[in-house]
């Protein structure tokens, strides 16, 4: 079946079974591979994208439900790394292997939109993605730093 | 071999390479793992190659060839740092490219001859031989640039300075490197310069650059194994015999033939036992053999996966099915340590005589379970196999081993194989043996002429691991009148492939006057073991340090002071230095509320029984246990001695991540077995620490002894954090967890209900 998805501000056609997870429509059909496959059961958060302003795990979001919404992936957050989180992540040496970090950044971006000056507890709540390398201390510091920069 | 190639092996050629030249060099341009920097360069392959390690293009941009995949530890950035130190170019002009193993093969081991294949195509970027190779290459290029400028300006080369990519002379002459790259490539030096001594470094150990690939990662441009998209690629969903060692009996392709996108089913037969090696590998090829498997190939992954789930498959589970549950295996491991061991690993003095002498004797048994790496990127690999060629894209942790297993599995000549190293979504030891690459190649062989991306689902990735092995230990010691052990007996066991190397990674048995260590292999364990971040070490430190804690308790001594008394007998001052730093910095001995305590432990990764080797690391864990038995870790203090450090920030983040890894291993991780199958498949059943569970972590650099080594950082924290937490738990609850993970224990206390 053909679906029209609005991804990063552009309408795109996907021909897939209705129950196909948005994750695979993005990665496989649209070749937007910045959104990662980690678990397939909405546990790890590597597949986090923004759907109408809400950080959403795309591995449990069927493509048939993705019509008529606005989807932003890591590629659309700041294609040249201009988003404050991308800058801070780079300066503060946040990623290790980096595989979970698209999802981390997308979750953090949604957090800062909702709560421009998040507390540690807010960060715990919004950014519950899994990082096997253990970058959590740096992720936390980087979110606080980004919040400071946004305030300035 | 052409003259050109022979020259290149001597370490120093400088030849202009056009596209043709690049091909002569056997350099395959990685299509996918392009540059690691912000932007790929169009000029790649057009520059001057100053040794196989380094190329400078006509605009002055520098490509560093890196042999070791970056699995998140910063090894690529470290290689670039060596070049930066000697070449004195601008940091932002450096890009990295993975060196192709086929180039190494074509040029007779031009990379692997330095430090050997094991060291050279995996981590260990800070080891001296590798550092010297990069720095020598860069120093030679710098001196050639100076010589070329000297000739143009009619001055002496020794009067020219090179700084931030600019050559200058007191006469006022000055030019960017770019201007002299071509001329420099033609320069022959009378003598190759030696790398600068440490005292003259201006970048290494001073600067702490962040990983150069981060801009690629945070924009989603970085291409991991699962992200490669060669033209015409199809997908394979993989299932291997659910019981390791089992065999496929039958399947019914007709049941899925008409499902959308389905192209084929490929059966993979187990590797023939005793198959001869077709190439000399880095790791024994036996560790990469394939088991019985089946794969559904479809246009899209979701189609392949859906069809695989619908495919009727019958397996013969084989002998492994006799293990009805993990308790049976645990009992077998423990039974093996209750009798004398098969192999004596260490024997000093007369342990039996000491035990007969009477006095205080302490005995305890410990166990660590099977654990998976659960690296975030599930196993995968993409391969295009034809009658006379193989092209493979692998998120390998050892590029050359992936190349070797491709040669082995296809039977092709090494010259017919191309291996592209991609970004790696976590390694931790899982992607070293190349069993993943080999399985993907085996599947792609069954569907030739088309690139096939073989994807392990998360469940498949977890259930078909090469695990931290299940290991049992029995410890026994006799204390002298001074409370210190006069005799130590240790018996350890595990299945085939378990790691007794951890025995050499502590000073403890080396400072007890009478010590005997024995090991036994439980041969009918069918579950495969492999290296997992600090293999062997991550169990042995738990055994040794938990037991020392029990001895301290028996001696009525403070656990930290007791360790100082034990380890001050060891001829490496780092151990006591670390313990003293921890005592001072962690708040050791200061009062804590009821239900909280601090525990300490120490170990060494890499010492191999020798002082001033490897990295010694100690940890203090401050934990709280509720009366119901819920554990919360408030703070971890880490002090360490790797001798010296190269990039302070890189070390800091590795130690933080390693501490979290060690904490999770001890607290949460265990795989169960049912009728021979691994039970857990995904993160809902195999919990990992998240942001909210992450304690405060303090890394203390004051334990460094400044001994002349830059030893490993990734593995060391994984050992001591677990036993330090066990100690804190024991102090709070009176219940000492002698097996991991601790979450399995009833840790309620003071009348609290579990």
């Amino acid at each position: 079946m053909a679906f029209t998805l609005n991804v990063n501000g552009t309408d795109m056609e996907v021909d897939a079974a209705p129950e196909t997870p948005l994750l695979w429509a993005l990665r496989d059909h649209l070749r937007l591979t910045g959104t990662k496959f980690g678990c397939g059961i909405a546990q790890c958060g590597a597949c986090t994208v923004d759907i109408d302003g809400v950080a959403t795990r795309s591995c449990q979001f069927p493509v048939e439900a993705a019509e008529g919404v606005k989807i932003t992936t890591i590629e659309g957050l700041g294609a040249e790394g201009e988003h404050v989180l991308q800058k801070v992540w780079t300066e503060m040496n946040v990623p290790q292997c980096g595989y979970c970090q698209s999802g981390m950044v997308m979750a953090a971006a949604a957090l800062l939109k909702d709560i421009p000056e998040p507390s540690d507890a807010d960060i715990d709540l919004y950014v519950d993605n899994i990082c096997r390398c253990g970058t959590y201390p740096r992720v936390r510091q980087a979110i606080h730093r980004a919040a400071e920069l946004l305030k300035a | 071999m052409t003259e050109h190639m022979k020259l290149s092996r001597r370490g120093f050629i400088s030849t202009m390479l056009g596209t043709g030249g690049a091909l002569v060099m056997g350099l395959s341009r990685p299509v996918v793992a392009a540059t690691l920097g912000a932007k790929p360069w169009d000029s790649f392959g057009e520059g001057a190659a100053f040794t196989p390690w380094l190329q400078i293009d006509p605009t002055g941009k520098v490509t560093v060839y890196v042999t070791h995949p970056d699995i998140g530890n910063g090894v690529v950035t470290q290689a670039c740092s060596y070049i930066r130190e000697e070449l004195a170019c601008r940091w932002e002009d450096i890009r990295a490219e993975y060196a192709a193993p086929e180039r190494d093969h074509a040029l007779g081991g031009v990379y692997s001859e330095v430090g050997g294949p094991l060291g050279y195509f995996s981590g260990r970027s800070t080891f001296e031989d590798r550092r010297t190779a990069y720095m020598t290459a860069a120093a030679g290029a710098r001196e050639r640039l100076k010589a070329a400028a000297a000739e143009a300006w009619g001055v002496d080369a020794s009067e020219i300075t090179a700084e931030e990519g600019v050559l200058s002379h007191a006469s006022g002459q000055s030019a960017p490197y770019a201007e002299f790259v071509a001329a420099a490539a033609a320069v022959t030096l009378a003598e190759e310069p030696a790398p600068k001594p440490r005292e003259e470094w201006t970048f290494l150990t001073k600067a702490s650059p962040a990983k150069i690939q981060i801009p690629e990662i945070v924009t989603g441009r970085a291409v991991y194994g699962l992200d490669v998209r060669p033209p015409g690629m199809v997908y394979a969903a993989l299932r291997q015999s659910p019981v390791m060692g089992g065999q496929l009996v039958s399947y019914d392709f007709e049941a899925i033939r008409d499902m959308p996108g389905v192209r084929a089913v490929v059966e993979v037969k187990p590797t023939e036992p005793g198959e001869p090696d077709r190439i000399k590998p880095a790791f024994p090829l036996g560790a990469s053999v394939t088991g019985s498997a089946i794969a559904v190939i479809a246009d899209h992954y979701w189609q392949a996966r859906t069809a695989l789930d619908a495919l009727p498959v019958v397996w013969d589970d084989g002998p492994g099915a006799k293990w009805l549950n993990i308790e049976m295996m645990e009992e077998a491991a423990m039974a093996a340590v209750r009798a004398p061991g098969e192999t004596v690993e260490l024997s000093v003095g007369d342990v039996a005589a000491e035990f007969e002498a009477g006095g205080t004797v302490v005995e305890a048994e410990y166990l660590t379970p099977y654990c998976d790496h659960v690296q975030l990127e599930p196993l995968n690999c993409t391969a295009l196999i034809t009658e006379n060629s193989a092209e493979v894209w692998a998120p390998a942790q050892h590029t050359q081993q992936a190349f070797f297993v491709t040669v082995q599995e296809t039977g092709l000549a090494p010259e017919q194989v191309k291996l592209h190293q991609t970004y790696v979504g976590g390694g931790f030891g899982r992607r070293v043996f190349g069993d993943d690459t080999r399985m993907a190649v085996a599947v792609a062989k069954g569907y030739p002429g088309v690139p096939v991306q073989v994807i392990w689902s998360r469940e498949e990735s977890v259930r078909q691991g090469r695990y931290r092995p299940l290991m049992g230990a029995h410890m026994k010691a006799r204390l002298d009148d001074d409370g210190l052990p006069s005799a130590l007996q240790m018996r350890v066991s595990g299945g085939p492939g378990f790691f007794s190397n951890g025995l050499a990674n502590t000073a403890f048995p080396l400072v007890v006057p009478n010590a005997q260590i024995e090991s036994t292999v439980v041969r009918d364990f069918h579950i495969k073991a492999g290296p997992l971040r600090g293999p062997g070490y991550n169990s042995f430190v738990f055994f040794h340090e938990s037991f020392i804690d029990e001895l301290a308790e028996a001696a009525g001594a403070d656990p930290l002071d007791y360790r100082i008394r034990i380890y001050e007998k060891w001829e490496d001052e780092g151990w006591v230095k670390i313990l003293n730093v921890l005592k001072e910095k962690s708040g050791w001995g200061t009062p804590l509320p009821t239900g909280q305590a601090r525990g300490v432990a120490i170990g060494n990764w890499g010492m191999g029984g020798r002082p001033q080797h490897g990295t010694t690391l100690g940890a203090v864990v401050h934990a709280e246990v509720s009366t119901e038995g819920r554990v919360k870790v408030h703070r971890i203090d880490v002090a360490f001695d790797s001798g010296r450090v190269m990039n302070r920030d890189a070390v800091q983040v590795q130690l933080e991540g390693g501490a979290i890894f060690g904490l999770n291993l001890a607290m949460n991780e265990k795989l169960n077995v049912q009728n021979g199958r691994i039970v857990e498949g995904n993160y809902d059943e195999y919990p990992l620490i998240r942001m909210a569970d992450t304690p405060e972590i303090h890394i203390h650099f004051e334990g460094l002894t400044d001994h002349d080594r830059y030893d490993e950082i990734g593995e060391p924290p994984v050992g001591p954090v677990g036993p330090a937490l066990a100690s804190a738990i024991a102090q709070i609850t009176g219940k000492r967890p002698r097996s991991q993970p601790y979450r399995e224990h009833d840790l309620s206390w003071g009348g609290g209900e579990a």
Side-chain angles (χ1 to χ4, degrees):
Chain A
M1 269 181 82
F3 297 95
T4 305
L5 308 187
N6 186 281
V7 184
N8 301 328
T10 308
D11 281 345
M12 302 179 181
E13 292 285 319
V14 171
D15 186 15
E19 68 279 9
T20 305
L22 174 61
L23 168 67
W24 295 106
L26 292 169
R27 289 186 49 79
D28 178 350
H29 295 257
L30 300 176
R31 309 208 154 195
L32 291 168
T33 53
T35 305
K36 303 301 184 196
F37 166 52
C39 69
I41 58 166
Q43 275 282 320
C44 76
C47 66
T48 303
V49 298
D50 186 295
I51 297 182
D52 286 344
V54 179
T56 305
R57 296 191 171 174
S58 61
C59 71
Q60 288 288 310
F61 197 92
V63 69
E64 64 180 335
E67 281 198 314
V69 299
K70 288 202 179 306
I71 302 160
T72 305
T73 68
I74 187 76
E75 291 92 344
L77 187 75
E80 296 303 321
E82 63 270 25
H83 191 279
V84 63
L85 287 168
Q86 293 168 319
K87 286 184 190 159
V88 167
W89 246 242
T90 304
E91 283 163 21
M92 295 180 71
N93 200 19
V94 173
Q96 289 188 26
C97 87
Y99 192 78
C100 71
Q101 298 287 327
S102 303
M104 284 275 186
V105 170
M106 294 308 291
L111 163 65
L112 289 180
K113 242 191 273 176
D114 287 359
I115 309 172
E117 288 179 66
S119 66
D120 279 343
D122 296 329
I123 294 173
D124 290 348
L125 192 67
Y126 271 74
V127 188
D128 66 342
N129 304 38
I130 290 175
C131 173
R132 182 56 153 166
C133 299
T135 59
Y136 304 118
R138 279 292 157 100
V139 169
R140 188 187 297 284
Q141 287 170 30
I143 292 172
H144 285 310
R145 176 76 185 131
E148 276 172 33
L149 290 173
L150 285 173
K151 200 178 156 193
Chain B
M1 189 178 283
T2 64
E3 189 58 28
H4 187 99
M5 286 177 177
K6 273 190 210 157
L7 272 171
S8 71
R9 292 198 55 204
R10 281 213 296 269
F12 254 93
I13 54 145
S14 355
T15 313
M16 283 304 290
L17 288 180
T19 313
L23 289 172
V24 170
M25 293 292 288
L27 175 76
S28 82
R29 176 177 179 168
V31 175
V32 180
T35 62
L36 292 162
K39 294 254 168 62
W41 294 343
D42 296 334
S43 58
F44 180 82
E46 299 287 341
F50 294 85
T51 87
W53 302 98
L54 172 64
Q55 176 171 277
I56 309 178
D57 87 350
T59 69
K61 286 179 176 141
V62 178
T63 301
V64 178
Y65 294 94
V66 182
T67 52
H68 35 289
D70 197 329
I71 54 170
N73 41 7
V75 289
V76 165
T77 305
Q78 194 54 43
C80 295
S81 298
Y82 297 138
I83 296 295
R84 166 64 187 77
E85 178 66 54
E86 288 291 349
L87 191 58
C89 56
R90 298 191 312 161
W91 179 248
E92 53 269 36
D93 282 341
I94 298 180
R95 297 293 185 271
E97 184 85 30
Y98 284 127
E102 56 266 31
R103 187 184 192 194
D104 186 69
H105 179 79
L107 299 181
V110 73
Y111 295 110
S112 58
E113 72 183 359
V114 186
L118 179 59
Y120 251 80
F121 278 86
S122 62
R124 298 181 185 150
S125 61
T126 53
F127 280 23
E128 193 176 352
D129 46 8
R130 190 176 309 189
R131 182 170 90 229
T132 304
Y134 280 112
M135 292 180 75
T136 304
R142 184 196 64 225
E143 291 308 309
R144 281 173 172 76
L145 287 163
K146 283 186 187 175
E151 185 163 344
W153 298 340
V155 300
D156 197 296
S158 65
E159 294 167 4
I160 292 179
T161 58
E163 222 169 299
E164 288 292 308
V166 176
L167 297 157
S168 27
H169 185 257
S171 63
Q173 295 271 25
S174 158
Y177 287 1
E179 211 164 289
F180 289 105
V181 166
V187 167
T188 306
L189 296 177
E191 203 184 344
E192 290 301 333
K196 290 189 243 176
R198 182 172 72 93
E199 295 70 26
E200 292 172 23
W201 291 349
T202 58
F203 190 83
L204 294 175
T205 71
K206 312 281 193 302
S208 275
K211 286 179 274 302
I212 63 164
Q213 66 269 36
I214 295 178
E216 294 291 280
I217 290 168
V218 296
T219 50
R221 288 196 299 247
V223 175
Y224 292 83
L226 281 172
D227 303 334
V228 303
R229 296 287 181 270
M233 189 185 85
V234 297
Y235 294 85
L238 176 73
R239 183 151 304 147
Q240 298 157 82
S241 169
V243 178
M244 289 184 183
Q247 303 267 358
L248 182 76
V249 176
S250 65
Y251 64 95
D252 180 12
F253 182 44
E254 292 312 314
I256 61 161
R257 183 189 289 278
D258 297 328
M259 288 180 72
V262 170
R263 291 176 170 232
V265 168
V266 173
E267 182 188 345
V268 174
K269 303 238 188 247
T271 306
E272 289 287 335
E275 174 198 69
D277 289 0
R278 297 194 171 100
I279 192 163
K280 192 171 176 290
F283 295 102
L285 287 166
S288 73
V289 294
T290 61
S292 184
I294 193 154
V296 174
I297 295 177
D299 296 342
H300 296 290
Y301 174 65
W302 195 250
Q303 296 168 334
R305 183 177 167 140
T306 308
L308 178 64
D309 285 343
L311 180 70
V313 185
V314 178
W315 302 97
D316 171 3
D317 287 341
K322 77 171 181 177
W323 300 108
L324 302 182
N325 50 51
I326 196 68
E327 289 76 14
M328 277 178 74
M329 300 183 80
E330 290 171 356
E331 279 161 26
M334 295 320 296
V337 296
R338 287 172 190 145
E342 298 170 335
T343 307
V344 176
E345 306 273 356
L346 174 82
S347 187
V348 178
D350 190 341
V351 172
E354 280 294 306
F355 287 139
E356 276 163 27
T360 306
V361 172
V362 181
E363 274 187 84
E365 291 183 345
Y366 302 93
L367 186 129
T368 54
Y370 287 115
C371 297
D372 187 46
H373 307 71
V374 292
Q375 73 292 340
L376 249 285
E377 183 185 14
L379 296 180
N380 71 90
C381 177
T382 304
L384 166 58
I385 310 295
T386 72
E387 234 172 81
N388 52 19
S389 71
E391 190 163 9
V392 175
W393 295 261
Q397 203 178 331
H398 193 297
T399 320
Q400 205 177 28
Q401 181 73 4
F403 177 76
F404 292 148
V405 302
T406 303
V407 170
Q408 182 74 11
E409 180 62 31
T410 57
L412 293 167
E415 293 73 21
Q416 296 170 304
V417 173
K418 245 185 199 182
L419 198 292
H420 304 279
Q421 173 70 43
T422 70
Y423 277 69
V424 188
F428 315 113
R430 180 62 188 94
R431 306 184 206 262
V432 164
F433 287 161
D435 57 288
D436 45 354
T437 302
R438 188 161 180 181
M439 177 57 81
V441 168
V443 171
K445 256 190 346 187
Y447 200 72
V450 177
V452 183
Q453 182 162 103
V454 184
I455 302 180
W456 282 239
S457 66
R458 167 58 60 192
E459 291 78 6
E460 186 72 11
S461 197
V462 171
R463 292 181 180 135
Q464 299 290 343
R466 300 293 180 269
Y467 306 114
R468 176 203 200 194
L470 189 163
M471 280 164 60
H474 181 272
M475 312 278 291
K476 183 176 174 185
R478 177 189 172 274
L479 301 185
D480 252 336
D481 293 342
D482 62 0
L484 293 179
S486 66
L488 170 70
Q489 176 190 281
M490 178 185 200
R491 288 172 175 158
V492 293
S493 69
F498 95 93
F499 297 90
S500 55
N501 67 338
L503 294 169
N505 277 329
T506 174
F508 180 41
L510 305 175
V511 295
V512 178
N514 303 279
Q516 172 109 350
I517 302 181
E518 302 161 8
S519 70
T520 300
V521 177
V522 186
R523 291 200 163 63
D524 50 357
F525 280 4
H526 64 299
I527 289 174
K528 294 194 174 187
L532 185 150
R533 201 167 187 172
Y537 167 79
N538 60 38
S539 288
F540 282 101
V541 180
F542 172 62
F543 303 153
H544 282 294
E545 285 289 304
S546 293
F547 192 56
I548 289 177
D549 228 64
E550 304 213 35
L551 299 185
E553 200 180 322
D558 174 87
L560 199 153
D561 291 334
Y562 189 74
R563 281 175 173 80
I564 290 176
R565 288 172 63 204
I566 285 179
Y567 291 120
E568 70 189 1
K569 297 179 180 174
W570 180 234
E571 52 203 291
D572 182 339
E573 58 169 346
W575 292 68
V576 169
K577 192 172 182 193
I578 285 165
L579 290 166
N580 279 321
V581 168
L582 287 172
K583 192 172 178 178
E584 186 195 327
K585 305 276 182 184
S586 69
W588 187 264
T590 59
L592 289 170
T594 308
Q596 298 187 25
R598 295 184 189 91
V600 64
I602 188 168
N604 177 297
W605 169 252
M607 64 185 269
R610 303 157 297 179
Q612 280 90 37
H613 279 79
T615 294
T616 311
L617 185 140
V620 168
V621 173
H622 167 194
E624 178 171 2
V625 186
S626 71
T627 51
E628 297 82 28
R630 256 199 307 280
V631 176
K632 176 160 180 64
V633 175
H634 290 289
R635 171 172 167 155
I636 300 177
D637 284 78
V638 168
F640 69 104
D641 176 31
S642 54
R644 297 169 179 157
V645 299
M646 278 284 178
N647 178 327
R648 194 181 166 95
D649 193 59
V651 167
Q652 167 102 23
V653 293
Q654 274 295 294
L655 291 176
E656 287 172 357
I660 292 168
F661 198 104
L663 178 59
N664 201 69
L665 205 59
M667 193 63 217
N668 288 330
E669 295 182 47
K670 175 183 177 174
L671 292 165
N672 281 284
V673 167
Q674 200 168 38
N675 302 326
R677 303 175 179 215
I678 297 291
V679 175
E680 289 75 11
N682 212 322
Y683 294 117
D684 55 337
E685 301 166 312
Y686 195 89
L688 292 191
I689 284 173
R690 297 173 195 242
M691 188 82 77
D693 318 306
T694 304
E696 218 180 284
I697 300 176
H698 296 262
I699 307 294
H700 306 291
F701 285 74
E702 293 86 344
L704 290 165
T705 53
D706 199 36
H707 177 261
D708 185 15
R709 69 183 195 276
Y710 300 85
D711 228 293
E712 291 174 272
I713 291 297
E715 295 89 346
V718 178
V721 170
L725 172 58
S727 171
I729 290 171
Q731 291 171 53
I732 297 163
T733 65
K735 298 171 175 175
R736 181 175 295 278
R738 294 193 178 89
S739 67
Q740 294 182 343
Y742 311 147
R743 73 180 168 99
E744 284 210 325
H745 295 260
D746 170 10
L747 298 174
S748 62
W749 60 283
E753 299 271 320

